[in-house]
Amino acid sequence: MPRFPAATGLALALTLAPAFAQAEQPPEPAGRKQLVIISFDGAHDNKLWEKSLEMGKRTGAHFTYFLSCTFLMTRAEGGKSYRAPGHKAARSNVGFAQSREEIQARVRHIWQAHQAGHDIGSHACGHFDGKGWSAADWKQEFTAFNTALANAWTAGGIAGEEPQGWADFAAHGIKGFRAPYLSLSDGLLPALKQDGFTYDASLVTKGPGWPTDADGLPRFGLPLIPEGPQQRRVIGMDYNLFVRHSMGIENRKDSALFEERALDAYRKAFQKEYDGSRIPLQLGFHFVEMNGGAYWRALDRFLSETCTKTDVACVSYAEGLPMIAEQKKADRSAF
């Protein structure tokens, strides 16, 4: 599979075979709300920060932003001290911030999102494939992320503007993780637990599924959903639709067609759960508008018509966890 230039910042969703989670049998709906969980990987492009925050405000949705930490440093400055396990210093598969001014805008967006009730999670740092990483390797990457987040206002040259509460947020507010490429290793789970994460969203499930319990850590999976004329299943993520629709090559000419296909897939996946057992529907996106923005436009339309329903909650992973726990308690059944 061809790589995108690092300058695009595209956090590629899947280049390897995903690890499928075994979804457990859902309990009956019992009047529960249908949860819709939307996440964004990379969280770098400042224009898309603005667009997503406006979308969330207008639709009432809360999102999870899985941030890649190299976007909180320039290669010339902080990048020199970043070294991913098994790689040379100052390397990143998705690049770095291009300027201090870019970092300044990004940290303000992150804080704005946090203040508005969105969930900021970790997508590690340089978007490397960790399939062979040990727990110590993952811990090294988590430490680099924590350091970059804590020092972000300084890296942007605006240390004096750091808001009260940022240090606590950087130290304790990052509770969720998604692995780059959705690629796992045996060392990931122990490292997540050691580092205090409360959920992982790195799996893929054969359809919408409840989070599984991995030694006390909830693990979510992006579902395979039917799509297109043949209703073949595809991971519910914009990049995977991009590959299916145009072989991963930008095609603006057919953008409207791709938008309608994506929206139809989102609607049908939602309606199946809404009319059935009301398993949470998870959909993933990137901070890159592929095929002329088709998938972001489809998302906007989907949220606008869905999140206003009284028995639907468009929530982040962090918000969804206690709601799922309450549903679990009410149903008196374990996942």
Side-chain angles (χ1 to χ4, degrees):
M1 180 176 296
R3 287 193 181 278
F4 284 76
T8 68
L10 177 60
L12 301 182
L14 187 68
T15 59
L16 306 175
F20 283 93
Q22 182 63 43
E24 302 188 35
Q25 291 297 315
E28 292 302 313
R32 71 167 56 90
K33 285 199 172 191
Q34 174 67 50
L35 302 186
V36 175
I37 303 176
I38 303 297
S39 57
F40 297 97
D41 289 5
H44 54 291
D45 188 321
N46 282 309
K47 289 183 179 179
L48 294 182
W49 267 111
E50 294 168 9
K51 181 176 285 192
S52 64
L53 288 169
E54 187 278 330
M55 188 190 307
K57 183 177 181 180
R58 175 165 39 80
T59 64
H62 283 164
F63 306 131
T64 293
Y65 295 93
F66 290 111
L67 173 69
S68 296
C69 90
T70 54
F71 296 123
L72 297 177
M73 60 185 80
T74 62
R75 187 187 300 273
E77 296 180 4
K80 291 182 178 179
S81 63
Y82 167 63
R83 182 169 189 155
H87 296 271
K88 295 180 179 180
R91 294 291 180 88
S92 166
N93 276 352
V94 289
F96 294 84
Q98 298 300 300
S99 67
R100 282 190 160 193
E101 290 73 22
E102 181 186 321
I103 297 172
Q104 292 169 17
R106 186 166 297 119
V107 294
R108 290 179 177 126
H109 285 136
I110 292 169
W111 187 244
Q112 181 184 349
H114 173 67
Q115 294 287 84
H118 298 285
D119 176 28
I120 310 299
S122 170
H123 200 41
C125 285
H127 207 276
F128 291 105
D129 178 10
K131 70 177 183 294
W133 286 2
S134 66
D137 291 334
W138 283 109
K139 179 64 177 176
Q140 177 183 328
E141 188 78 347
F142 296 161
T143 298
F145 180 97
N146 296 340
T147 300
L149 190 64
N151 296 336
W153 294 78
T154 299
I158 49 172
E161 297 181 33
E162 180 177 313
Q164 184 176 1
W166 179 271
D168 182 69
F169 160 70
H172 307 292
I174 308 301
K175 296 300 184 182
F177 179 75
R178 176 171 286 153
Y181 305 106
L182 304 179
S183 184
L184 315 179
S185 75
D186 290 342
L188 178 58
L189 181 60
L192 289 170
K193 292 176 67 65
Q194 290 169 17
D195 219 52
F197 286 96
T198 60
Y199 72 86
D200 173 47
S202 304
L203 305 181
V204 174
T205 55
K206 294 181 179 179
W210 299 98
T212 57
D213 183 286
D215 193 22
L217 184 76
R219 303 191 86 175
F220 290 89
L222 288 168
L224 294 173
I225 60 174
E227 188 277 335
Q230 284 77 46
Q231 291 292 282
R232 291 185 297 123
R233 290 185 176 270
V234 64
I235 296 175
M237 199 170 212
D238 56 359
Y239 177 71
N240 302 87
L241 290 168
F242 178 49
V243 171
R244 171 169 292 185
H245 292 165
S246 62
M247 300 181 66
I249 299 170
E250 184 69 14
N251 177 355
R252 293 175 178 269
K253 177 175 64 72
D254 295 320
S255 183
L257 171 63
F258 300 145
E259 175 186 346
E260 294 302 325
R261 281 185 55 166
L263 179 59
D264 182 66
Y266 303 158
R267 284 171 170 167
K268 286 179 178 176
F270 168 81
Q271 202 65 41
K272 182 177 184 296
E273 302 312 321
Y274 184 72
D275 293 339
S277 298
R278 297 206 169 178
I279 301 171
L281 175 64
Q282 303 167 59
L283 296 173
F285 297 82
H286 290 80
F287 262 36
V288 177
E289 292 187 295
M290 306 166 208
N291 279 339
Y295 311 111
W296 274 64
R297 293 197 308 273
L299 171 65
D300 196 335
R301 292 169 64 187
F302 173 70
L303 295 181
S304 296
E305 67 189 30
T306 301
C307 299
T308 54
K309 296 179 184 289
T310 57
D311 51 355
V312 172
C314 295
V315 298
S316 67
Y317 281 109
E319 281 181 309
L321 268 176
M323 298 174 75
I324 291 170
E326 283 299 314
Q327 293 172 356
K328 178 178 173 183
K329 181 179 179 181
D331 291 320
R332 298 180 181 179
S333 61
F335 296 140

